[in-house]
Amino acid sequence: MGIQVYAHTSFLGHTGYNNHAKNFFTHLNRYIPTRVRNYSYCDDLSYLTKEQMSLLVEQKWQDPPYKIGTPFVRDRKSTLVNIVLNESHHYFFYDKYEAPKIAYNVWEATKQMPEYFNRLLEYDQFWCPTEWQKDCTVEQGYPEDRVKVVHE
């Protein structure tokens, strides 16, 4: 029995979150099979590697490139780990995921908005890129043993 990661993130594009997600999940895939449910849109995909293209779960648009990725097939012999990596309060955090589920967020303020923070408490773990954000998250009320610093 192994692990399979299902990422829910903004993978396509060139912003900070897009680049972070693309780099993180591409590297993670080298250790654990990873598939990506993408939120963002980009009409030029020439910057993606073949490996990155293979991570994308099938998605269709009305504009070019019309379709990317392949259907997600769950390996029933593996534990499916859902990781949501996006900006605070993104609707991907509010979807229903089976456990284990991990919220990964980069935030540059001392507190998250209460509605979003309460949703984060429902996740098995919260990942952030710095000790400072970990300290702020614990101070706001997240259990320290469930907050992990995962550097970008």
Side-chain angles (χ1 to χ4, degrees):
M1 182 160 102
I3 295 173
Q4 182 179 23
V5 169
Y6 195 11
H8 311 271
T9 191
S10 297
F11 194 82
L12 300 179
H14 305 286
T15 68
Y17 265 101
N18 301 120
N19 286 319
H20 175 66
K22 196 167 30 263
N23 290 331
F24 180 76
F25 290 114
T26 300
H27 284 91
L28 183 62
N29 184 56
R30 296 179 185 152
Y31 301 97
I32 301 170
T34 301
R35 294 300 306 278
V36 174
R37 172 184 167 218
N38 172 60
Y39 170 75
S40 50
Y41 171 79
C42 187
D43 60 352
D44 177 13
L45 305 178
S46 63
Y47 64 94
L48 294 175
T49 67
K50 187 175 183 177
E51 177 186 14
Q52 290 167 335
M53 288 292 287
S54 74
L55 299 180
L56 293 166
V57 171
E58 185 174 310
Q59 188 173 9
K60 297 177 183 175
W61 296 296
Q62 292 181 347
D63 299 310
Y66 301 110
K67 178 183 163 190
I68 59 166
T70 59
F72 175 71
V73 179
R74 169 134 189 231
D75 177 359
R76 293 284 173 194
K77 296 178 184 174
S78 295
T79 299
L80 182 67
V81 178
N82 286 285
I83 302 175
V84 181
L85 168 59
N86 241 315
E87 70 271 3
S88 296
H89 203 46
H90 189 281
Y91 78 85
F92 273 11
F93 286 104
Y94 296 91
D95 285 351
K96 293 187 185 283
Y97 304 107
E98 64 182 69
K101 58 185 179 181
I102 298 166
Y104 192 171
N105 177 252
V106 179
W107 185 243
E108 296 173 353
T110 57
K111 289 193 176 186
Q112 299 276 6
M113 61 189 300
E115 178 185 0
Y116 174 65
F117 187 78
N118 289 335
R119 178 64 178 154
L120 293 177
L121 290 169
E122 297 176 23
Y123 281 75
D124 298 296
Q125 290 185 4
F126 177 75
W127 291 0
C128 57
T130 65
E131 289 292 334
W132 175 83
Q133 188 177 359
K134 177 183 179 179
D135 293 344
C136 292
T137 303
V138 170
E139 187 173 315
Q140 191 171 354
Y142 208 94
E144 185 172 6
D145 64 319
R146 292 175 32 212
V147 180
K148 310 297 180 197
V149 175
V150 179
H151 300 287
E152 292 187 272

